[in-house]
Amino acid sequence: MKRDARTQRWRMTRRGFLIGLGIVGGGLALGATLGLPAARLALADLLGDGTGPPASFPKEPAIWFAIQPNGRVVMAMPKVEMGQGVHTALAQLAAEELGIAWEQISVTQSSSIGPVRDPAGTSASYSMMGLFPIIRETAATLREMLRAAGAEQLGIAQAEIEQGFVIDPANPARRIGFGELAAQPREWQAPEEAAPLTPPDRWRIIGQPVSRLDLPAKVRGAAIYGYDARVEGMLYGAVARPPRLGAKLRRAAPGTALERRGVVQVVIRDGVAGVVAESRLTAYAALNDLDLEWELPPPFTHHDLEERLAAQARSGTPIQQHGDPAAAMHSARLVEAVYQTPLAAHANLEPQAALVDVQPDRVRAWVSTQSPVQVAESIAATLGRPADTVEVTPTYLGGGFGRKLLITAANEAAILSAAVGKPVHVGWTRTEEFRHSYLRPPTYAAFRAALDAQGNIIALEQRHASGSVLFDFIPAPLRWLLGSDFGAWRGARLVYAIPNLLVTSQTVDLPVPTGPWRGLGLLANVFAVESFIDELAHAAGSDPLEFRLRHLPESELGQRFRATLLAVAEMAGWGQPAPAGRARGIACSVDMNTVAAHIAEVGYEGDKLRVYRVWAAVDPGLAINPDGLAAQTEGGIMMGLSATLFEQVTISEGRIDAGNFDRYPLLTIADAPEVAVQILRSGDQPFGGGEPPMGPIAAAVANAVFALTGERKRRLPIA
């Protein structure tokens, strides 16, 4: 069965993961009808519900699947594998509906031009939620096409499917394999009616742990990452970096670089000064030989950024509002607090890398990227080429976390390749990755709340400010319409039933590049919200768990929160005393419709804070691969703990201080706690899995520290 590459009928914005371009026109109309403030609140509700728009992919089986003569099914994979196990989980959906054994399916990565084209990219914990119905429906259609063809060949009216065979139910020995059927010349017809989906009570593969498809190649060292990409005749490139954030290249000349042995060419174009050489070491060494002059902006420090956030926090756009908080606070007991988080790096194991081959009629690129279509469009724009002449094939990623949505190295490699007429590989150094990538923005959150005589929250205000997360990735009309960066306030809206509530968010321009980091604003905002809820519980004289349960809404989401909190409390033995010298803290959140609750147990060894144990309960609706979701939860907790205890980017005189891990410590194995994960099932639809489980960890640790010492930690990192 041949594949036929098709373009998608629905297109997302450059960042792409929540809203299609169609929302701009609809949102403008909404604004005209309701007024801008009401329209912004309505859009915040839409973006905050965690479901996103319907994904749109072609459903022709020949685009997705190829059947080999031995019956193996090869699935075209639109999402990229960066260690999260998405190839495995999506293939489980296909294997289930096709009626084949798990061992009979494999995957091949789709490029920016197909066979399955994915402008949305792999981000926002949306892959499983978005593709769950599409892959199942397409695989079920193929199954029924094979069933009909097999029944015709066997000369029977009805046939059964079992382990990749079409079988005569009256005589199971009479069977024909998928491979034999697919090899036959015939006119394949899709069924007139929608193919039935396998009901949950008959699932064999969905919801079960299976072996990871990507692990064998990784264990053997055969997996190709962006840094590993090689083609015959390729050269290596390096690009000069500014000495200070925001500096512009005023003048550039080759200097003595061409005299260095192994240098092929110096390329100076559109504010880029680069070197192409026979080896990477030579290319980087030759950068020192260039004659460069930079226009330097005024210097600044990270403290200046924090002051800017604090100064602008009160002028934010409402993203959640009902009742009259100001009036409700006049005669009530008030609690106030400010929470802050710093700049943070992505610290990917693999720095960004790209190999680009610019030819007269086409461009081929192999890139470590989460969004090959967007990178292809960026390369095309850089070169002034038609977008359909650029093909980007994503490699395996050595960590993504939002940093590999757009890859600067790809544009640089394209410029250098076009200049020399040969393939060029650009792989950033660790220092470049630390000092010239975009960062997780700093945040500032000011809270004020009122408690009644019974210790219930009757009013709450949160004034949130952050640098940009997604605003640089979306069109200006949409930025104006939203008023504030919805990526920055992810996790800032409260789920609790509070009669008078106001949450505002202000996006602040900063002289440092900021952008998506795992979970976007989730970790920072849940740290602030759930720490403040803990403060209110203490002020009310209530148990933190009971306080949260008491304030949950009587809704389906509220019931899911209740079940998740009770599950994690039972896991950890909440209410029982912690071991001597230790204490526990609890926190919870919802993100991409997945509810997570954590309990952390902490103590001090001398003056060093230690997190000894973490219990996590996660309700993703449905876990396609429980082992995969448990691993994602464990990984998210570890990354969140690293940010909680250690990570902070500091800036001196407009220059990021850390150039390597010696000045940017991460969580090590010696610091890692024991982690226990329980996965709950609340339905037959999957929600987000990659980012949501990390949301509560910082707050759980901070709340545990308060329970142990009586000191409230309101700033990350807290170690």
Side-chain angles (χ1 to χ4, degrees):
M1 304 177 70
K2 295 183 179 179
R3 294 200 182 102
D4 177 24
R6 306 284 177 90
T7 57
Q8 290 186 220
R9 294 178 293 275
W10 180 78
R11 173 177 170 76
M12 302 184 89
T13 63
R14 288 189 72 188
R15 177 62 174 92
F17 68 90
L18 278 178
I19 46 181
L21 285 175
I23 201 175
V24 178
L28 293 175
L30 184 68
T33 303
L34 301 179
L36 187 58
R40 285 174 169 171
L41 278 172
L43 288 172
D45 289 340
L46 174 67
L47 296 168
D49 74 357
T51 57
S56 178
F57 284 89
K59 294 183 181 179
E60 294 87 344
I63 296 176
W64 287 86
F65 303 107
I67 301 178
Q68 298 177 342
N70 64 359
R72 174 169 288 276
V73 178
V74 182
M75 177 184 177
M77 185 60 65
K79 300 299 181 181
V80 301
E81 182 61 66
M82 45 190 166
Q84 81 279 40
V86 69
H87 283 188
T88 301
L90 291 177
Q92 286 181 253
L93 305 179
E96 184 70 70
E97 293 299 341
L98 286 168
I100 61 177
W102 177 242
E103 293 73 24
Q104 292 176 273
I105 197 165
S106 58
V107 301
T108 182
Q109 179 67 61
S110 191
S111 75
S112 62
I113 63 173
V116 186
R117 192 171 182 271
D118 179 24
T122 307
S123 62
S125 301
Y126 190 59
S127 295
M128 297 310 304
M129 193 188 318
L131 285 173
F132 180 73
I134 294 169
I135 291 177
R136 292 183 67 205
E137 291 166 13
T138 306
T141 298
L142 177 57
R143 180 196 68 220
E144 294 309 305
M145 293 166 66
L146 291 164
R147 187 198 303 272
E152 178 184 320
Q153 181 153 333
L154 292 171
I156 58 177
Q158 297 292 331
E160 294 181 352
I161 299 288
E162 181 180 312
Q163 303 290 290
F165 286 89
V166 181
I167 299 171
D168 181 351
N171 183 5
R174 296 187 67 228
R175 58 179 57 200
I176 183 168
F178 284 4
E180 183 180 347
L181 283 170
Q184 295 175 0
R186 63 180 296 121
E187 187 71 24
W188 291 93
Q189 295 289 336
E192 293 184 2
E193 297 183 359
L197 300 179
T198 305
D201 61 357
R202 291 177 52 199
W203 283 344
R204 305 167 297 112
I205 298 174
I206 293 177
Q208 300 299 317
V210 297
S211 55
R212 285 273 293 263
L213 296 179
D214 56 316
L215 287 188
K218 291 177 176 177
V219 171
R220 296 196 310 269
I224 301 299
Y225 293 81
Y227 239 95
D228 302 322
R230 300 288 185 271
V231 295
E232 186 176 352
M234 63 176 275
L235 298 170
Y236 295 86
V239 172
R241 307 295 172 198
R244 185 183 296 172
L245 291 167
K248 305 295 183 184
L249 187 61
R250 176 181 294 168
R251 183 185 61 82
T256 61
L258 291 170
E259 300 173 12
R260 185 180 290 269
R261 183 178 178 181
V263 171
V264 175
Q265 191 167 331
V266 171
V267 179
I268 299 173
R269 175 194 151 180
D270 299 336
V272 172
V275 175
V276 181
E278 295 173 357
S279 74
R280 198 183 315 278
L281 288 176
T282 300
Y284 273 96
L287 292 178
N288 297 318
D289 303 328
L290 298 177
D291 182 12
L292 306 175
E293 183 179 344
W294 298 91
E295 181 179 339
L296 302 179
F300 62 92
T301 72
H302 56 283
H303 298 298
D304 297 325
L305 309 184
E306 295 172 357
E307 292 175 1
R308 187 176 299 190
L309 291 178
Q312 297 188 35
R314 295 201 63 82
S315 57
T317 298
I319 59 171
Q320 196 176 18
Q321 184 175 16
H322 54 257
D324 188 347
M329 291 187 190
H330 279 315
S331 58
R333 180 161 48 118
L334 296 183
V335 180
E336 297 181 271
V338 171
Y339 284 83
Q340 294 175 272
T341 65
L343 292 161
H346 296 80
N348 308 88
L349 182 63
E350 176 202 29
Q352 61 174 290
L355 169 60
V356 181
D357 183 9
V358 179
Q359 301 171 7
D361 58 343
R362 64 181 299 199
V363 179
R364 298 184 67 196
W366 297 264
V367 186
S368 178
T369 178
Q370 297 172 237
S371 37
V373 170
Q374 296 167 22
V375 171
E377 292 172 348
S378 182
I379 291 174
T382 297
L383 297 177
R385 299 283 190 96
D388 59 2
T389 66
V390 180
E391 180 179 15
V392 171
T393 300
T395 64
Y396 281 121
L397 276 64
F401 313 127
R403 179 56 191 97
K404 293 181 179 175
L405 288 165
L406 293 180
I407 302 298
T408 309
N411 291 336
E412 294 169 349
I415 291 171
L416 300 179
S417 175
V420 300
K422 291 185 177 181
V424 174
H425 189 284
V426 172
W428 280 26
T429 66
R430 180 62 61 189
T431 298
E432 287 178 299
E433 195 68 47
F434 267 120
R435 290 183 173 157
H436 302 285
S437 290
Y438 56 76
L439 305 168
R440 186 191 76 192
T443 66
Y444 175 97
F447 291 87
R448 185 171 65 141
L451 298 171
D452 65 14
Q454 289 73 43
N456 298 312
I457 308 172
I458 58 172
L460 188 147
E461 289 183 356
Q462 178 192 176
R463 305 285 182 174
H464 169 269
S466 170
S468 171
V469 171
L470 297 180
F471 262 24
D472 292 341
F473 294 80
I474 61 177
L478 187 53
R479 294 198 296 271
W480 171 83
L481 179 63
L482 291 169
S484 63
D485 190 324
F486 63 93
W489 55 254
R490 190 164 159 183
R493 287 162 49 101
L494 281 79
V495 72
Y496 299 104
I498 301 172
N500 302 282
L501 179 66
L502 174 63
V503 181
T504 67
S505 180
Q506 175 70 12
T507 304
V508 180
D509 289 332
L510 300 175
V512 56
T514 59
W517 189 89
R518 187 174 185 176
L520 310 183
L522 181 66
L523 182 79
N525 295 331
V526 175
F527 162 65
V529 169
E530 281 293 290
S531 294
F532 187 64
I533 291 297
D534 219 67
E535 290 204 50
L536 296 178
H538 177 71
S542 298
D543 172 82
L545 171 62
E546 184 275 332
F547 189 80
R548 286 170 170 82
L549 294 173
R550 175 155 45 98
H551 284 87
L552 289 174
E554 294 297 330
S555 63
E556 180 183 356
L557 181 60
Q559 293 304 314
R560 291 176 63 208
F561 260 95
R562 181 175 302 277
T564 307
L565 281 164
L566 291 175
V568 79
E570 183 177 0
M571 291 170 67
W574 185 267
Q576 302 300 315
R582 302 184 187 182
R584 299 180 185 132
I586 191 169
C588 56
S589 63
V590 61
D591 181 60
M592 295 307 287
N593 215 13
T594 289
V595 178
H598 295 169
I599 291 175
E601 184 175 281
V602 308
Y604 278 88
E605 295 180 359
D607 59 355
K608 181 179 180 180
L609 175 64
R610 288 294 306 269
V611 180
Y612 293 101
R613 300 188 69 180
V614 175
W615 295 267
V618 180
D619 172 8
L622 166 69
I624 304 300
N625 186 328
D627 277 0
L629 182 60
Q632 284 288 80
T633 301
E634 292 162 352
I637 286 171
M638 294 303 176
M639 187 170 180
L641 274 177
S642 186
T644 301
L645 300 177
F646 301 109
E647 296 184 44
Q648 178 179 10
V649 168
T650 60
I651 299 173
S652 301
E653 297 295 315
R655 183 173 182 268
I656 292 173
D657 295 323
N660 213 316
F661 292 116
D662 58 331
R663 299 191 67 179
Y664 193 85
L666 299 175
L667 188 80
T668 65
I669 292 177
D671 298 312
E674 296 180 28
V675 177
V677 177
Q678 181 179 348
I679 298 172
L680 309 180
R681 179 173 175 177
S682 59
D684 295 328
Q685 300 286 326
F687 303 125
E691 297 162 313
M694 78 181 300
I697 186 59
V701 171
N703 294 338
V705 171
F706 174 78
L708 180 66
T709 67
E711 179 186 4
R712 185 63 68 179
K713 299 288 188 177
R714 299 189 179 96
R715 186 186 187 98
L716 297 185
I718 64 175

